[in-house]
Amino acid sequence: MDIHVLTRELHVRNDSKIVFYIADGLGGLPQQPGGLTELETAQTPHLDALAKQGISGGSIPVFPGISPGSGPGHLALFGYDPIKYLIGRGALEATGIGFELREGDVAIRCNFCTLDGAGKITDRRAGRIPTDESAPLAVKLREVSIPGIEVFVEPVKEHRFVVVFRGQGLEGHVHDTDPQQTGVPPLAPKAADPGSEKTAQICVEFIKQALKLLAGQPKANGLTLRGISGKPNLPSYEEVYGLRAAAIAVYPMYKGLARLAGMDIVGKPQTLDEQMELLAQNWKDYDFFFIHFKYTDSTGEDGDFAAKVKRTEEFDAAVPRITALGPDVLVVTGDHSTPSMLSSHSWHPVPTLLAAKNCRTDACEKFGETECLRGGLGLFEAKYLMPLALANAGRLTKYGA
Amino acid sequence: MDIHVLTRELHVRNDSKIVFYIADGLGGLPQQPGGLTELETAQTPHLDALAKQGISGGSIPVFPGISPGSGPGHLALFGYDPIKYLIGRGALEATGIGFELREGDVAIRCNFCTLDGAGKITDRRAGRIPTDESAPLAVKLREVSIPGIEVFVEPVKEHRFVVVFRGQGLEGHVHDTDPQQTGVPPLAPKAADPGSEKTAQICVEFIKQALKLLAGQPKANGLTLRGISGKPNLPSYEEVYGLRAAAIAVYPMYKGLARLAGMDIVGKPQTLDEQMELLAQNWKDYDFFFIHFKYTDSTGEDGDFAAKVKRTEEFDAAVPRITALGPDVLVVTGDHSTPSMLSSHSWHPVPTLLAAKNCRTDACEKFGETECLRGGLGLFEAKYLMPLALANAGRLTKYGA
């Protein structure tokens, strides 16, 4: 079910303000059976108050059992079907380092590797070469010159870097050149469809020149191309919801995902405090605000229960700065669960609350995984949060007569 | 949503064990408003303990309001979309009597009928001719000989028998020959698509020879062909989940359904005790076990509330033989509800529990229809049980970066 089929037709404009306050990886697990999760352990008086006056539930990012990455997790929150709109790995990597992809660009995740005298791979990750040694090599590859094509090369971390081709007639369906094993040469770039033949040829030329530039380098003298992909073609928030949307995020990945959905990236905040300042400063200029808080995820990934509890309390403490502005609809949730007991993203439903004047509240007294189970939103697919928010903001008209 | 789109890509292998312990027709209804269901009446200490430590909910086999047969009910449990994968009635009937269909076979449910001198049907079911009289007639039809085609004829019950054609170039889309009324002759076999023309011709020849063999028989001198269908093309458990799967079932229908999903059929158990012995004996050789218990359904179909309660207690009593083996994920549910108050399959959600280390338990204290309503699985489509089981077994990687 693509919700945009209806929201595109039914949305109307008004002066309401919608805020999505997102704690990445919010959901968790107890440390022992019958115990409390990170969120249930944390002191969250402001979130509890919102849960009491609002409506709660558990959101399922993709479908039951599926642990999403940041891409599908956020797309679902933004109302884009995470199965229909798959962001290619190259495009996501470019987005993640803040590269602003344009229509028609092709993005590639590249790995440095080592090759023997016969051109066979000896180490697929070039011994996980340190970033301070790999970055200059990536920068050196900017010397590659291909007529009619702009070539961008951006260092990432360790053996990874990103390449973007910009030019006419490029499509992104080219197979990986990483053979996934050592003792064989990298594969030749091969188009998966006729429209991507030109891109494949450019890949061949890029590799040829890159190998010359890397020749004799002791740490990394080869490269592989992976996740070759075009800019994902998401309809914009303006088009499908009629919303002027702003993203207030610290990390490039989330700014990038928001930009793909047509949101404006507001400021360059480094702290939650600065994010809240930007929210107040931009309050009049936008209809929708996406505020991203990273540390509930990173502490979960670290397996640090206590730190996640602390970060959750920090997230809670900033709530009054949002409510002081009087949003018409405030949604608090995460893009997925990251239980510190698993040190990874997980499939568990994400605690979610929506506070708005006419939300029809439920019996929930606080904000937590178990309490959400008796909430009025029930268990629901995350992509339905956007139409619920629009409806509560008075921004959706009746469907059918 | 076909879950295999993702499970096919995301599954990984490990040493975990998953058990689906299925009480056919598990869900029920109280004998009077406000009363207890069969499951709630039964003493089920082991299931209650599992519900307490696990996560519960109500599974909906197809969609709300739909009462499934055994085919769709089990396909959904096995993770196959029961709308997308419809098993033809002929194929299901053949499967149900233990006939092992091969790729390219065409299976047909046949009815004996009576014809008058003009070839018009006088009784569509030949007076529900007793099995001991119909079976020899079905066996007699094995004399039919069609060049290049193997013909199998298997008696079923009363007026019913099964015919399978095996040969080159057979497809299963041929219309029924049963006109659904008396006073008219059976319809001629007619292909529904060009690929099934050959099958239609073979049906014509089969009927011609069969009528000769039945000529003058007092109880049944005619036949109709129904549910003509090929072997359903289900992707295997190995392909879509990476699971070596074993079915431990008493009745042919459930063995057949499991075989269609690529499961191995283990042993020839006649009792639940023997099924549990087989489970222990085969524990090391498989990743996934489907254990089928029939009698919660058959007592429900009989309208015998007390007998269903007793059978439910028998089902419960065997639980420790499963838990003693230490499964990583144990799912207990049914393929549909069979309330003894209705003496039939029904549309009501099926009580379901999943017990696993990181399942994020809920407030449920026991196993029953009403208690399941406050469970952490909520009301969910049965096809999502497989991805949930795989996730809880650590067998699904992250979707998207």
Side-chain angles (χ1 to χ4, degrees):
Chain A
M1 177 64 224
D2 183 349
I3 62 163
H4 299 151
V5 171
L6 294 191
T7 62
R8 193 179 267 118
E9 299 301 322
L10 303 182
H11 71 74
V12 291
R13 290 163 204 270
N14 60 26
D15 291 335
S16 64
K17 304 288 183 189
I18 302 171
V19 176
F20 269 38
Y21 187 39
I22 305 302
D24 204 305
L26 178 63
L29 282 173
Q31 290 173 291
Q32 64 286 323
L36 299 175
T37 66
E38 298 91 325
L39 176 58
E40 290 167 347
T41 302
Q43 297 295 317
T44 55
H46 305 105
L47 293 173
D48 292 347
L50 285 176
K52 198 165 178 174
Q53 74 188 64
I55 182 168
S56 302
S59 73
I60 297 171
V62 181
F63 62 72
I66 301 300
S67 304
S70 298
H74 278 85
L75 286 198
L77 284 183
F78 298 161
Y80 297 84
D81 186 320
I83 304 287
K84 177 175 174 180
Y85 295 102
L86 187 59
I87 304 178
R89 305 286 303 214
L92 192 67
E93 190 89 353
T95 296
I97 59 166
F99 189 95
E100 200 164 334
L101 286 175
R102 295 192 195 160
E103 213 64 52
D105 285 358
V106 168
I108 310 172
R109 303 170 78 197
C110 296
N111 279 359
F112 284 117
C113 66
T114 52
L115 305 174
D116 66 16
K120 293 178 181 168
I121 296 174
T122 47
D123 189 319
R124 288 175 54 239
R125 296 184 187 85
R128 292 193 183 274
I129 177 173
T131 308
D132 58 358
E133 295 182 60
S134 64
L137 292 181
V139 169
K140 191 175 176 64
L141 297 185
R142 291 178 182 166
E143 294 173 26
V144 169
S145 166
I146 302 175
I149 302 292
E150 262 189 289
V151 177
F152 302 86
V153 185
E154 299 293 339
V156 186
K157 203 179 161 191
E158 297 174 345
H159 53 284
R160 291 180 282 262
F161 62 104
V162 163
V163 170
V164 176
F165 298 140
R166 180 169 293 163
Q168 294 298 311
L170 300 185
E171 293 184 22
H173 301 114
V174 176
H175 294 294
D176 288 3
T177 72
D178 184 343
Q180 299 286 337
Q181 53 179 315
T182 55
V184 297
L187 303 170
K190 202 175 153 187
D193 58 32
S196 303
E197 286 293 351
K198 182 173 174 185
T199 306
Q201 287 165 23
I202 290 164
C203 290
V204 170
E205 180 61 25
F206 179 83
I207 292 167
K208 191 176 133 191
Q209 294 187 34
L211 288 176
K212 275 187 198 160
L213 292 165
L214 296 174
Q217 286 292 336
K219 293 291 184 67
N221 62 347
L223 72 164
T224 56
L225 277 51
R226 307 163 67 203
I228 300 167
S229 45
K231 176 174 182 283
N233 198 10
L234 303 185
S236 74
Y237 255 48
E238 176 62 40
E239 183 202 338
V240 294
Y241 306 133
L243 292 173
R244 297 169 301 158
I248 308 177
V250 172
Y251 287 83
M253 170 71 84
Y254 312 98
K255 294 184 194 177
L257 287 163
R259 195 185 290 117
L260 291 174
M263 295 188 207
D264 284 354
I265 310 305
V266 168
K268 291 185 178 176
Q270 292 301 310
T271 63
L272 189 53
D273 186 62
E274 289 172 14
Q275 287 176 281
M276 292 303 163
E277 278 172 36
L278 283 164
L279 178 68
Q281 286 163 17
N282 290 276
W283 190 248
K284 287 188 179 158
D285 299 330
Y286 293 94
D287 309 307
F288 178 94
F289 298 88
F290 159 55
I291 308 171
H292 181 267
F293 181 74
K294 174 69 179 168
Y295 308 103
T296 31
D297 177 62
S298 45
T299 49
E301 292 261 16
D302 290 345
D304 191 337
F305 190 96
K308 192 176 175 193
V309 169
K310 194 157 169 291
R311 289 300 199 166
T312 304
E313 292 177 348
E314 186 183 325
F315 178 78
D316 176 77
V319 166
R321 300 196 51 187
I322 302 173
T323 50
L325 297 166
D328 296 276
V329 180
L330 172 54
V331 168
V332 183
T333 186
D335 56 334
H336 52 74
S337 293
T338 306
S340 48
M341 296 304 289
L342 299 181
S343 301
S344 70
H345 294 196
S346 81
W347 65 92
H348 302 89
V350 188
T352 302
L353 70 80
L354 183 155
K357 189 180 169 195
N358 295 312
C359 66
R360 190 196 278 168
T361 191
D362 51 32
C364 291
E365 294 283 331
K366 51 190 181 176
F367 193 46
E369 286 82 349
T370 303
E371 190 76 355
C372 277
L373 291 179
R374 58 194 195 112
L377 294 174
L379 286 172
F380 66 97
E381 288 179 63
K383 67 183 177 187
Y384 294 120
L385 266 177
M386 275 305 303
L388 281 166
L390 290 167
N392 276 281
R395 285 176 174 268
L396 285 184
T397 57
K398 194 163 64 174
Y399 168 58
Chain B
M1 178 65 227
D2 181 349
I3 62 163
H4 299 151
V5 171
L6 294 192
T7 62
R8 192 180 267 118
E9 299 299 323
L10 302 181
H11 71 73
V12 291
R13 290 162 204 273
N14 61 27
D15 292 335
S16 63
K17 304 288 183 189
I18 302 171
V19 176
F20 270 38
Y21 186 40
I22 305 302
D24 204 303
L26 178 63
L29 283 172
Q31 291 172 290
Q32 62 287 323
L36 299 175
T37 67
E38 300 91 324
L39 175 57
E40 290 166 346
T41 303
Q43 297 294 317
T44 55
H46 305 106
L47 293 173
D48 293 346
L50 286 176
K52 196 166 179 174
Q53 73 189 64
I55 181 168
S56 300
S59 74
I60 298 171
V62 181
F63 61 73
I66 301 300
S67 303
S70 298
H74 278 85
L75 286 198
L77 284 184
F78 297 161
Y80 298 83
D81 187 319
I83 303 288
K84 176 174 175 179
Y85 295 102
L86 187 61
I87 303 178
R89 302 293 304 208
L92 191 68
E93 190 88 353
T95 295
I97 60 167
F99 190 95
E100 200 163 336
L101 286 175
R102 296 192 194 161
E103 212 63 54
D105 284 0
V106 169
I108 311 172
R109 301 170 78 198
C110 297
N111 279 0
F112 285 117
C113 66
T114 51
L115 303 174
D116 65 15
K120 292 178 181 168
I121 297 174
T122 48
D123 189 317
R124 290 176 51 241
R125 297 184 188 84
R128 292 196 183 272
I129 176 175
T131 308
D132 59 357
E133 295 182 60
S134 65
L137 292 181
V139 169
K140 192 175 177 63
L141 296 185
R142 290 177 182 167
E143 293 172 26
V144 169
S145 166
I146 301 175
I149 302 293
E150 263 188 288
V151 178
F152 303 86
V153 185
E154 299 294 338
V156 186
K157 203 178 162 191
E158 297 174 344
H159 53 283
R160 291 179 283 263
F161 61 104
V162 162
V163 170
V164 176
F165 298 140
R166 179 169 294 163
Q168 294 297 312
L170 300 185
E171 294 184 23
H173 303 112
V174 176
H175 294 293
D176 288 6
T177 72
D178 185 344
Q180 299 287 339
Q181 53 179 312
T182 56
V184 297
L187 303 170
K190 200 174 154 186
D193 58 33
S196 302
E197 286 293 352
K198 182 173 174 183
T199 305
Q201 288 164 22
I202 290 163
C203 290
V204 170
E205 180 61 26
F206 179 83
I207 293 167
K208 191 174 133 192
Q209 294 188 33
L211 288 176
K212 277 188 194 158
L213 291 164
L214 296 175
Q217 287 292 337
K219 294 291 185 67
N221 62 348
L223 72 164
T224 56
L225 278 50
R226 307 164 66 203
I228 300 168
S229 45
K231 177 175 182 285
N233 199 10
L234 302 187
S236 74
Y237 255 50
E238 176 63 39
E239 184 202 336
V240 294
Y241 307 132
L243 292 174
R244 298 169 302 159
I248 308 177
V250 173
Y251 287 82
M253 170 71 84
Y254 312 99
K255 295 183 194 179
L257 286 165
R259 195 185 289 116
L260 291 175
M263 295 187 207
D264 284 356
I265 310 305
V266 167
K268 292 183 178 175
Q270 293 301 310
T271 63
L272 189 52
D273 185 63
E274 289 173 12
Q275 287 176 281
M276 293 302 162
E277 277 173 35
L278 283 164
L279 178 68
Q281 286 164 17
N282 288 276
W283 191 247
K284 286 188 181 159
D285 298 330
Y286 293 95
D287 309 307
F288 177 94
F289 298 87
F290 159 56
I291 309 172
H292 182 266
F293 182 74
K294 174 71 178 168
Y295 308 104
T296 32
D297 178 61
S298 45
T299 49
E301 292 261 17
D302 291 345
D304 191 337
F305 192 98
K308 191 175 175 194
V309 169
K310 194 158 168 291
R311 289 301 200 165
T312 303
E313 292 177 348
E314 186 183 325
F315 178 77
D316 175 78
V319 166
R321 303 204 39 195
I322 303 173
T323 51
L325 297 167
D328 296 276
V329 180
L330 173 52
V331 169
V332 182
T333 186
D335 56 334
H336 53 74
S337 293
T338 305
S340 47
M341 297 302 290
L342 300 180
S343 300
S344 70
H345 294 198
S346 81
W347 65 92
H348 303 88
V350 188
T352 302
L353 70 82
L354 183 156
K357 189 180 170 198
N358 294 311
C359 66
R360 193 196 272 170
T361 190
D362 51 32
C364 292
E365 294 282 331
K366 52 189 180 177
F367 193 46
E369 285 81 350
T370 301
E371 190 75 354
C372 279
L373 291 180
R374 58 192 195 115
L377 294 173
L379 286 173
F380 64 98
E381 289 179 64
K383 66 181 177 186
Y384 293 122
L385 266 178
M386 276 304 303
L388 280 167
L390 290 167
N392 275 281
R395 284 176 175 269
L396 284 183
T397 56
K398 197 163 64 173
Y399 168 57

